[in-house]
Amino acid sequence: MEHRTFHRILAAIIAVLIVLAGYGVYYVNDYHHAINVGNAIQSNPTVKVTDIEDGWLFDGPGTTTAMVFYPGAKVEASAYAPLMQETAASGIDCFLMKMPANLAIFGINRADVVRSDIAGYSYDHWYIAGHSLGGTMAANYISKHTDNWDGLILLASYPTDDLSKTKLRVLSAYGSKDDILNRKKVESARQRMPKQYYERVIKGGNHAQFGSYGVQQGDGVAAISGDDQIDRTVALIRQFVTNSL
């Protein structure tokens, strides 16, 4: 009797593990695919796009400032290629990082790929940025590497780490139609921000249109186009890094 009970328990445990494994595979493969990125992931006369370890470099006409970007949760990294293209064209070179299972929580230290001595990239000013969960993970990373960065750019995001005692500059931008971003957490995060904190609302923008991956469940309906939201975002980023906000 004890022998049969043991086998029943073992079979039940195996069944649960199989279900959990199956759900895990489903979860990591259920993500937002990039759509309509077209030539944004390709080089053009203004921006040269090259493969790097775990991502791409968008190398525009600028030579002094760079931004490392973390994608939102369960969003294909290439969905942010249009944003990177425009930002690079504005004079800020961009490193768009791919994340394990499309989740930045598993790739918090991906910026090390770019910032290591071996990589050999040389810029006077460095910023790290991210969308949604990617922004939170970027904030987590920079909180432990404050001496190596000029600032943090959060798109529809907020930090969970305390940055109030740092000399970093932080920009927080989100759409007025964003129904996914937790506004109460944005408000509470203000007390964890450094002195040079700038918060801007993109009128008519929503959560998903920082990237190009279509409609996100639970998001508000944008009152501006995706191209317009990207244009406004790039303008804010440019003003932020040039101290003209």
Side-chain angles (χ1 to χ4, degrees), residues 97-169:
M97 311 308 299
K98 298 177 182 177
M99 291 295 167
N102 295 304
L103 291 167
I105 195 170
F106 297 134
I108 294 174
N109 295 318
R110 279 281 158 94
D112 287 344
V113 171
V114 175
R115 296 306 312 275
S116 69
D117 293 336
I118 296 175
Y121 296 111
S122 179
Y123 293 92
D124 297 330
H125 304 287
W126 285 92
Y127 294 84
I128 190 167
H131 176 226
S132 198
L133 178 66
T136 301
M137 295 303 103
N140 178 290
Y141 176 87
I142 201 172
S143 71
K144 299 172 179 61
H145 303 82
T146 56
D147 293 339
N148 300 322
W149 299 83
D150 291 80
L152 168 68
I153 299 167
L154 300 168
L155 303 181
S157 186
Y158 51 85
T160 55
D161 291 61
D162 189 357
L163 304 174
S164 62
K165 293 180 174 60
T166 73
K167 295 181 180 180
L168 294 169
R169 302 175 66 248

Side-chain angles (χ1 to χ4, degrees), residues 47-67:
V47 177
K48 181 181 180 182
V49 182
T50 55
D51 291 332
I52 62 170
E53 182 182 352
D54 298 319
W56 302 271
L57 165 60
F58 292 75
D59 188 358
T63 59
T64 62
T65 305
M67 179 179 78

Side-chain angles (χ1 to χ4, degrees), residues 2-195:
E2 291 181 357
H3 184 71
R4 283 184 299 190
T5 300
F6 170 78
H7 279 282
R8 287 173 182 168
I9 294 173
L10 181 60
I13 292 173
I14 292 174
V16 170
L17 291 175
I18 290 174
V19 170
L20 290 175
Y23 177 76
V25 171
Y26 165 77
Y27 182 83
V28 300
N29 286 285
D30 177 32
Y31 61 91
H32 296 281
H33 295 261
I35 61 173
N36 300 323
V37 297
N39 295 326
I41 203 70
Q42 304 295 328
S43 296
N44 57 53
T46 304
V47 177
K48 181 181 180 182
V49 182
T50 55
D51 291 332
I52 62 170
E53 182 182 352
D54 298 319
W56 302 271
L57 165 60
F58 292 75
D59 188 358
T63 59
T64 62
T65 305
M67 179 179 78
V68 178
F69 192 88
Y70 285 10
K74 299 182 74 176
V75 179
E76 188 174 12
S78 57
Y80 298 92
L83 177 60
M84 299 299 102
Q85 270 280 356
E86 284 207 31
T87 305
S90 78
I92 305 164
D93 287 351
C94 297
F95 295 85
L96 174 57
M97 311 308 299
K98 298 177 182 177
M99 291 295 167
N102 295 304
L103 291 167
I105 195 170
F106 297 134
I108 294 174
N109 295 318
R110 279 281 158 94
D112 287 344
V113 171
V114 175
R115 296 306 312 275
S116 69
D117 293 336
I118 296 175
Y121 296 111
S122 179
Y123 293 92
D124 297 330
H125 304 287
W126 285 92
Y127 294 84
I128 190 167
H131 176 226
S132 198
L133 178 66
T136 301
M137 295 303 103
N140 178 290
Y141 176 87
I142 201 172
S143 71
K144 299 172 179 61
H145 303 82
T146 56
D147 293 339
N148 300 322
W149 299 83
D150 291 80
L152 168 68
I153 299 167
L154 300 168
L155 303 181
S157 186
Y158 51 85
T160 55
D161 291 61
D162 189 357
L163 304 174
S164 62
K165 293 180 174 60
T166 73
K167 295 181 180 180
L168 294 169
R169 302 175 66 248
V170 178
L171 168 65
S172 174
Y174 52 89
S176 64
K177 299 292 186 180
D178 189 336
D179 287 345
I180 292 177
L181 178 64
N182 189 320
R183 304 297 177 88
K184 290 185 178 179
K185 290 188 175 181
V186 172
E187 292 174 4
S188 65
R190 289 171 186 159
Q191 64 186 348
R192 297 191 293 274
M193 294 296 190
K195 290 182 179 179

